Amino acid sequence: MDLRGWHKKIKERFLRFRKEKLKTWVLLLILVPLLFIDATLLRLNHVKMTELRDAVMAADEANDDAAIADGLVALKEFVFSHIVINVVEDNGEQVVSFGTGPFYLEHQYVRAATAALNDAEAKFAGDSNPNGNIYGMAGDTCKTLALANGWTWDNPNFINCMITEINKYPSATEIQDTIIASLPSTELFRHNYASPVWAPSILGFLLLITGIVIVVIFIRFLVWLVLRLSLLFI
């Protein structure tokens, strides 16, 4: 087949492509509301996740461990079954992730650490080392600072002060080791629930349809471009 034959054949395909019943502009009209609905549902999922997470943080501030446990269960169940897109900070940069992002229950940790310090105080109340009752001496210093600075006994500054003061004494190895061993790990109070990239929900199926429409539009554009260029160069 000569070039003229190829040109005629490509022209026929191009014309047939343009006469197809499902026009590309129809697909674009379908795509616009789909994108709007997708964005709205993603926003609603994000708002719901934020509400559940804020409820956990509020329970933490209220020192309500039962409410924290119930709130974490509700938050986990929602995030694990819905598509949740979130913007979180990672090393000073804003990044997009799926899920809650990391959050820390500071008040619950402080309560647990305070209980550990109280247990240590009871254990070493009769301590008889060359420096006297190290825990009591550290407590006297830190309580004075707490009163001066308005700290409560469950304030992180008070806990840090106690540990710092105890570490100043050379004979405090046993006390120091006991306190460090009894303090809970901060990782136990740090949570980060990841959501699925796709879930079998209304939003999930709408996103799937949206993706198919976008792929079809892209393929049709490539076919149109190839046919158009073929007419120019053949």
Side-chain angles (χ1 to χ4, degrees):
M1 185 180 296
D2 57 13
L3 291 178
R4 182 172 297 181
W6 275 107
H7 186 275
K8 182 179 179 181
K9 188 174 182 179
I10 292 174
K11 185 175 182 180
E12 290 175 353
R13 290 185 179 180
F14 182 73
L15 293 174
R16 189 164 58 249
F17 176 80
R18 294 185 60 181
K19 291 179 180 179
E20 289 183 2
K21 293 182 179 180
L22 187 58
K23 302 291 186 179
T24 303
W25 64 267
V26 175
L27 291 175
L28 289 172
L29 286 179
I30 296 174
L31 179 62
V32 171
L34 277 176
L35 290 174
F36 176 78
I37 296 173
D38 292 343
T40 300
L41 293 179
L42 284 172
R43 174 62 181 169
L44 291 175
N45 282 356
H46 176 78
V47 170
K48 180 63 176 179
M49 179 277 294
T50 302
E51 290 176 353
L52 293 173
R53 187 182 60 190
D54 288 347
V56 173
M57 303 301 290
D60 180 44
E61 293 183 4
N63 298 329
D64 190 340
D65 288 332
I68 290 175
D70 292 341
L72 287 175
V73 170
L75 177 61
K76 184 189 301 184
E77 289 179 350
F78 178 80
V79 172
F80 285 0
S81 59
H82 292 78
I83 303 172
V84 180
I85 294 180
N86 194 16
V87 178
V88 299
E89 185 172 334
D90 183 16
N91 295 325
E93 296 182 358
Q94 298 293 323
V95 296
V96 177
S97 67
F98 287 85
T100 63
F103 62 97
Y104 178 59
L105 301 180
E106 179 181 1
H107 295 82
Q108 190 178 51
Y109 169 76
V110 170
R111 293 194 300 275
T114 300
L117 287 174
N118 289 337
D119 290 342
E121 181 177 16
K123 181 176 181 179
F124 292 102
D127 183 34
S128 57
N129 56 67
N131 294 305
N133 185 350
I134 294 174
Y135 192 98
M137 296 170 65
D140 291 340
T141 300
C142 293
K143 287 175 182 177
T144 301
L145 290 174
L147 291 173
N149 292 281
W151 300 340
T152 57
W153 306 135
D154 59 354
N155 189 291
N157 292 319
F158 180 75
I159 296 174
N160 292 334
C161 176
M162 288 290 295
I163 295 175
T164 300
E165 288 298 318
I166 289 172
N167 289 341
K168 290 181 179 179
Y169 296 94
S171 58
T173 303
E174 182 182 356
I175 297 178
Q176 179 181 350
D177 292 344
T178 300
I179 291 177
I180 291 176
S182 62
L183 286 176
S185 171
T186 57
E187 291 303 314
L188 296 175
F189 304 88
R190 190 182 305 277
H191 304 276
N192 185 7
Y193 301 136
S195 78
V197 177
W198 186 86
S201 60
I202 295 177
L203 173 59
F205 289 112
L206 283 175
L207 287 173
L208 187 61
I209 294 172
T210 302
I212 293 174
V213 172
I214 291 175
V215 170
V216 171
I217 291 175
F218 180 72
I219 292 175
R220 288 174 65 87
F221 173 76
L222 286 181
V223 172
W224 177 87
L225 184 61
V226 170
L227 291 176
R228 190 69 177 178
L229 291 174
S230 298
L231 288 175
L232 292 176
F233 295 102
I234 296 179

